[in-house]
Amino acid sequence: VDNEVSLSDVNFLNENTGFATGFGGNDSKAEGQILTTTNAGVNWVQTDYGSSFKNICFTDQNTGWIASSYYHDVLGEEARIYKTSNGGVNWEMNYSLPQAFSSSLFFIDNNTGWLAGLSRGGGLNQDLILKTSDGGSTWLDLNLNTLSFIQSIYFQNHDTGWYCGDKIYRSTNGGINWINQLADGNVYNSITFVDNNT
């Protein structure tokens, strides 16, 4: 693995097979990398891409998604989602949203997932959460009216989930509505739950 790579996320399917995303390396800080291991992390195979990757999420051996933030000199930032159906051998851009920045991606199964980040549309910054129920073919903007600079999103099941940034929010209806649970002046970078309470 290139020593210049800064890793942004890691996702293991089982004790041996895992994936990581990052950026940098090869004398270009704008390049993205996907790293794959099949021997519990003893060895990693690195593949370079022309986009910076934030998150990676696999739901089974073949099906996975990557959240990416792409910057265009004229158009500005663009949130992108890539999907693989063959274990990461090939990736196709599944969705793109201009004037947006992706920070977190989470899938509960092969159909249902959420992308979180920041929307910069119309010159206004606001939290962004998109939801898919068809494996990423279509995405619904949940139209948040908050600004907490989302860093991480996690769902325990199809209904109950949380996101965090400079606040922590909870949803009990799949992300349609959110309740502020914590705003203590800190910034939280990641959130996960082992059940609905812990």
Side-chain angles (χ1 to χ4, degrees):
V1 176
D2 193 315
N3 289 332
E4 297 292 318
V5 173
S6 296
L7 298 179
S8 56
D9 195 21
V10 64
N11 178 238
F12 270 77
L13 287 173
N14 53 50
E15 63 184 27
N16 292 311
T17 305
F19 303 86
T21 54
F23 56 92
N26 296 333
D27 299 322
S28 172
K29 297 299 179 196
E31 271 192 347
Q33 280 83 31
I34 299 173
L35 299 98
T36 307
T37 182
T38 55
N39 59 6
V42 174
N43 302 103
W44 293 85
V45 175
Q46 177 179 320
T47 307
D48 296 332
Y49 295 87
S51 188
S52 175
F53 299 130
K54 289 290 293 181
N55 294 98
I56 191 164
C57 184
F58 272 78
T59 52
D60 61 38
Q61 207 63 20
N62 295 311
T63 311
W65 295 263
I66 286 178
S68 169
S69 289
Y70 176 79
Y71 184 81
H72 188 276
D73 290 339
V74 176
L75 302 175
E77 285 181 316
E78 181 176 274
R80 292 181 173 181
I81 302 170
Y82 295 85
K83 183 178 182 179
T84 183
S85 299
N86 57 10
V89 175
N90 302 104
W91 294 89
E92 291 186 20
M93 190 164 60
N94 186 251
Y95 184 80
S96 67
L97 182 66
Q99 297 183 320
F101 178 83
S102 62
S103 59
S104 185
L105 176 73
F106 183 80
F107 273 77
I108 195 92
D109 57 34
N110 283 358
N111 292 313
T112 307
W114 297 262
L115 173 79
L118 184 68
S119 172
R120 299 182 190 274
L124 299 173
N125 289 338
Q126 102 177 18
D127 291 332
L128 170 72
I129 296 181
L130 304 176
K131 181 179 180 181
T132 183
S133 299
D134 57 12
S137 295
T138 59
W139 292 83
L140 172 67
D141 187 341
L142 298 181
N143 293 315
L144 301 180
N145 290 314
T146 59
L147 182 59
S148 62
F149 299 98
I150 300 174
Q151 299 298 309
S152 180
I153 190 166
Y154 177 83
F155 273 78
Q156 178 62 28
N157 54 49
H158 285 86
D159 294 319
T160 306
W162 298 261
Y163 73 81
C164 67
D166 65 6
K167 299 175 183 70
I168 297 176
Y169 284 86
R170 181 182 187 205
S171 176
T172 56
N173 60 4
I176 303 301
N177 302 106
W178 296 89
I179 298 168
N180 185 352
Q181 288 195 302
L182 180 65
D184 62 359
N186 292 312
V187 175
Y188 298 94
N189 292 317
S190 185
I191 192 164
T192 189
F193 274 71
V194 295
D195 57 39
N196 281 354
N197 296 312
T198 307

